[in-house]
Amino acid sequence: MRVPELEDLPDPSGRRVLLRADFNVPITDGHIDDDLRIRAALPTIRWLQERGASIAACTHLGRPKGQPDQRYSLDPVRARLGEVAPGVELLENLRFDPGEEANDAAFAGRLVEGFDLYVNDAFGASHRAHASVVGPPARLPSAAGRLLAREVEVLGGLLESPARPFVAVLGGAKVSDKLGVIKALLDKVDIVAIGGAMAFTFLMAQGHEVGDSLVQPDWVDACRRLLDIGEKRLLIPSDIVALSSDGEIGGTTGDVKVVGTDVPDGYKGLDVGPETALAFSAALATAGTVFWNGPMGVFEDGRFAAGTIAVAKAVVASPGFTVVGGGDSAAALAKFGLDGGVDHVSTGGGASLELLERGDLPGLAALREASNAPR
């Protein structure tokens, strides 16, 4: 999975570099809530600047649907970037042009005009075949930035030579989003533990009642096939924390109780139960490699956070090499003050899942085809 790195570029001194970054940061009322993604690009920026390059960064922000939209202006990002990386120019939101998401060749051509080199440091966007991701490497000497190269190193290691046992914990809402990665991981891991709302489609596939829980009936047969394939390698919840239908998530109303594998009518499952949390934690306690993506329940409501907290603590305590696949899992780690306890937190939840599922990403494949890529 080798991709060209910064050292594979021609001498950047006096050259103009187009840096594809992922500055898709949360913004409220014009103020950045978390600038981690901006700061994460600094090692790459510093390396280039120390070698005499001038840099213009480009990024997407939100979903402006191919036209300028002031709600997604990069002005707040530009201001913060100017504070932490003086001298770096920032182009306007890539998604203000429909050519970005359409991977339009003409847009890619305009984007690289006036540049000598291209660096992709946007792992979180590299699973998209968008113009700014796959277009420049066909036109300019190109490389992965430090952030992207580290993601490739870590996630590639999970695919190629993980220490055993390899335990994956997957959560989240929709099983349809993760069936592909579950199937792919079953060929590579020793245990896949399933939590979150997507567990209810698996429980339905086992013949259990799910009450008012979120399920995807159209995917029951697919889950049943995975259960047949996975046999004892798939861990499904054995108990559930449920809320009565008159209750409100994020509030204090409704009846909360722990049920078994059958959720009664009038109740909605919102977290894995203590028995399940203990089983998942036991699997993690002996793991040589851990990959976690997706919370076990609605952890934003304290009544349904215990499962996610237990898994987060077990991941941190695991003796193995621990990787968290970004997104809500990373947010949960931060919320519970555990984000410093894992070996690697991915900057792209969707990208990390797709890389594990498919073994490659459009952005990585494009870099390997660049004129300067090692052959």
Side-chain angles (χ1 to χ4, degrees):
M1 200 182 290
R2 172 90 159 88
V3 294
E5 299 187 19
L6 294 175
E7 289 77 8
D8 296 309
L9 288 171
D11 182 3
S13 178
R15 308 221 182 180
R16 189 160 164 76
V17 179
L18 177 65
L19 172 65
R20 179 40 164 117
D22 182 5
F23 296 155
N24 187 31
V25 296
I27 297 176
T28 304
D29 297 328
H31 298 284
I32 295 173
D33 300 320
D34 183 354
D35 69 351
L36 176 61
R37 290 184 174 182
I38 299 173
R39 291 183 285 108
L42 292 181
T44 296
I45 290 171
R46 288 176 183 144
W47 190 95
L48 291 166
Q49 287 183 328
E50 287 169 359
R51 286 155 181 80
S54 61
I55 306 167
C58 61
T59 183
H60 69 284
L61 178 69
R63 300 179 183 275
K65 300 181 179 179
Q67 58 187 3
D69 187 329
Q70 187 59 33
R71 293 175 298 172
Y72 303 108
S73 168
L74 288 174
D75 287 345
V77 178
R78 187 172 291 108
R80 182 59 180 148
L81 183 63
E83 294 172 352
V84 298
V88 177
E89 180 187 350
L90 181 61
L91 308 183
E92 194 45 278
N93 194 332
L94 290 163
R95 291 184 180 175
F96 281 2
D97 192 304
E100 165 65 356
E101 293 184 82
N103 189 18
D104 179 67
F107 176 69
R110 294 194 301 274
L111 189 62
V112 302
E113 191 173 343
F115 290 97
D116 305 299
L117 305 173
Y118 169 78
V119 174
N120 182 357
D121 215 17
F123 177 71
S126 290
H127 60 314
R128 308 291 189 194
H130 290 173
S132 66
V133 174
V134 300
R139 296 164 169 83
L140 298 175
S142 301
R146 291 291 187 242
L147 187 65
L148 179 61
R150 177 61 177 161
E151 295 276 11
V152 172
E153 177 187 2
V154 170
L155 295 169
L158 297 189
L159 292 172
E160 295 162 8
S161 55
R164 300 286 178 180
F166 182 2
V167 178
V169 182
L170 300 178
K174 294 183 178 180
V175 71
S176 56
D177 292 342
K178 294 186 178 176
L179 273 180
V181 76
I182 294 170
K183 186 175 181 180
L185 283 173
L186 282 173
D187 292 332
K188 301 175 177 69
V189 307
D190 298 284
I191 293 174
V192 180
I194 305 293
M198 69 177 187
F200 296 107
T201 307
F202 280 96
L203 288 169
M204 180 178 280
Q206 290 180 323
H208 296 295
E209 299 296 327
V210 296
D212 298 334
S213 306
L214 178 65
V215 294
Q216 291 183 286
D218 291 345
W219 296 91
V220 168
D221 288 343
C223 289
R224 189 175 293 118
R225 287 192 293 270
L226 284 178
L227 288 164
D228 291 340
I229 294 169
E231 298 177 351
K232 295 181 180 180
R233 287 179 294 145
L234 269 176
L235 292 184
I236 308 299
S238 57
D239 61 344
I240 298 294
V241 182
L243 174 69
S244 59
S245 57
D246 60 342
E248 181 181 356
I249 297 173
T252 58
T253 58
D255 178 40
V256 176
K257 65 180 181 180
V258 177
V259 299
T261 49
D262 291 294
V263 180
D265 289 341
Y267 281 80
K268 175 185 289 189
L270 294 173
D271 192 15
V272 299
E275 182 180 284
T276 302
L278 191 62
F280 289 7
S281 298
L284 292 165
T286 59
T289 303
V290 172
F291 177 75
W292 175 32
N293 178 278
M296 298 295 98
V298 185
F299 69 90
E300 297 86 354
D301 184 324
R303 298 173 295 174
F304 311 107
T308 301
I309 292 173
V311 165
K313 288 182 175 179
V315 169
V316 169
S318 173
F321 183 77
T322 51
V323 179
V324 173
D328 289 338
S329 304
L333 280 174
K335 179 180 176 67
F336 306 132
L338 299 169
D339 45 330
V342 297
D343 293 300
H344 181 74
V345 178
S346 178
T347 54
S352 63
L353 288 175
E354 189 158 328
L355 182 56
L356 292 177
E357 178 181 349
R358 303 183 184 278
D360 204 358
L361 299 176
L364 306 185
L367 287 175
R368 291 198 301 272
E369 294 300 315
S371 60
N372 62 301
R375 304 300 181 195

